[in-house]
Amino acid sequence: MLAPFLASALLAYAAALRAFDPALDGPQAVKLATRVVVEADAAHLDARLIVALVAVESAWEPRAISPAGARGLGQLMPATAAGLGVDPDDAEANLHGTVVHLAALVARYARWPAPEAYVRAIAAYTAGAGAVDRYHGVPPYRETRLEVRRVIALWRRLCGG
């Protein structure tokens, strides 16, 4: 009974990914959706959070490169990707690095109540943990504040809220 449900869930995730990046073909979207679910489960994170984070970071464009040099789906900076031991230009490796990095940040802020821990982790993903620690919360950077709001709002929408 679980297999049909899982297949249906993966197809729903794949459809969401294709909505963010229509250039993804069906098999590629299913492959990335499967990777998201597997990686998120292994890290004890909500896969919808990962979908939201990547949607805001890169709109699910595997070859995205920011003006600052962040690369791939999770927009990993080269030094971050190297520290995680992943190739930022390989979509599946980038997803792995994105999930591992976010999980470490969620763990870093676990002493806070869940909503605040996630807000801080997302802010640290964007601006760096040092900035979040220095400002005792979301740094006063316009781009970081906007990104945190966008990720949280999309995560809530993906959760049906």
Side-chain angles (χ1 to χ4, degrees):
M1 202 53 144
L2 184 60
F5 172 77
L6 183 58
S8 175
L10 290 176
L11 290 176
Y13 274 96
L17 304 189
R18 290 187 74 196
F20 294 117
D21 182 5
L24 290 174
D25 65 27
Q28 185 182 22
V30 169
K31 186 176 182 181
L32 292 174
T34 301
R35 188 65 180 232
V36 166
V37 170
V38 168
E39 294 285 351
D41 185 59
H44 307 289
L45 291 176
D46 184 343
R48 295 166 296 192
L49 171 58
I50 305 306
V51 170
L53 178 73
V54 173
V56 171
E57 287 286 343
S58 69
W60 281 92
E61 166 53 58
R63 292 164 301 285
I65 301 174
S66 78
R71 305 180 74 83
L73 293 170
Q75 288 293 280
L76 296 174
M77 291 300 287
T80 302
L84 294 165
V86 299
D87 175 357
D89 296 319
D90 176 281
E92 290 186 69
N94 191 296
L95 278 177
H96 174 73
T98 297
V99 172
V100 168
H101 186 46
L102 183 61
L105 293 168
V106 169
R108 179 184 184 118
Y109 299 109
R111 72 175 189 261
W112 297 95
E116 181 64 18
Y118 285 100
V119 165
R120 286 174 185 245
I122 295 163
Y125 189 93
T126 302
V132 171
D133 295 345
R134 188 169 40 259
Y135 288 102
H136 306 288
V138 179
Y141 313 145
R142 183 182 171 284
E143 184 176 326
T144 300
R145 290 181 177 270
L146 177 62
E147 185 154 327
V148 169
R149 282 195 306 271
R150 289 178 64 208
V151 171
I152 296 292
L154 182 53
W155 184 22
R156 284 185 179 141
R157 278 194 6 238
L158 291 171
C159 290

